[in-house]
Amino acid sequence: SSTYLPYSIPNSGFEKLYEAGGGFLARKADNTFYGWGGSAGNSSFLTAVNNKRTLFFDLAANNAGVAVLFNDGEVISSGSGELSKGFSTNGNITGISQLFGSSGGNGGGNGAFCGLKSDGTVIFWTQTLNSLPAGSAEIATNVAKVVSSVNGFLVLTNDNKLYSKGIQSGYNN
């Protein structure tokens, strides 16, 4: 164990590193996660994620939180305020096929996550998203593609309509 890492984290065998929610996550080849600092170091979050490590699929992070997507469509997230919704018993954050994170821009602590479901619906959960009340989740339908940036999400529907959900004013439709 290295003196530069928290004492409980081994210093070898890691496959991927993530900046996550003001802290760090490191993933081993067997999908075991180690985290320290910020949202990534939340022991309840790490226990829940590691209990499902054989189903790991993807991860999205921002400066306010981290969300982990599993092959069964469940999301477990940790973060400031409502960014931890996926870690609660919120039944809406299931059936996700793609996961996106947006950090809030300008080095701020705001952030949001977006999950695209295979049926074309999208759900947002957020610390503060100006086009949504803080802490709300909104479901959009008929979605073909989602792109995330530091300032929010751009959503293209199957009928070629374009919508944005932004974290800062000026980025909302």
Side-chain angles (χ1 to χ4, degrees), residues 132-145:
L132 301 171
S136 74
E138 177 181 291
I139 298 177
T141 59
N142 197 26
V143 173
K145 184 166 178 81

Side-chain angles (χ1 to χ4, degrees), residues 14-156:
F14 289 97
E15 191 172 80
K16 182 98 177 174
L17 303 174
Y18 306 90
E19 182 284 322
F24 300 97
L25 281 175
R27 181 173 54 87
K28 291 188 141 200
D30 70 353
N31 293 328
T32 300
F33 282 88
Y34 293 85
W36 57 101
S39 303
N42 179 310
S43 62
S44 297
F45 165 76
L46 288 169
T47 298
V49 167
N50 284 327
N51 283 341
K52 292 192 67 150
R53 72 180 173 272
T54 59
L55 296 175
F56 172 75
F57 182 70
D58 198 10
L59 182 143
N62 56 45
N63 59 358
V66 58
V68 178
L69 173 63
F70 299 93
N71 284 328
D72 63 2
E74 182 184 0
V75 173
I76 297 175
S77 60
S78 177
S80 303
E82 295 294 312
L83 291 182
S84 63
K85 267 192 170 186
F87 189 57
S88 71
T89 57
N90 183 331
N92 289 330
I93 307 176
T94 59
I96 305 294
S97 60
Q98 287 183 286
L99 189 60
F100 306 90
S102 182
S103 63
N106 297 330
N110 299 329
F113 292 115
C114 173
L116 176 60
K117 297 184 177 190
S118 57
D119 66 1
T121 59
V122 173
I123 184 166
F124 302 90
W125 65 108
T126 174
Q127 183 180 16
T128 54
L129 196 57
N130 287 342
S131 57
L132 301 171
S136 74
E138 177 181 291
I139 298 177
T141 59
N142 197 26
V143 173
K145 184 166 178 81
V146 176
V147 177
S148 63
S149 78
V150 69
N151 291 312
F153 305 97
L154 191 61
V155 178
L156 176 65

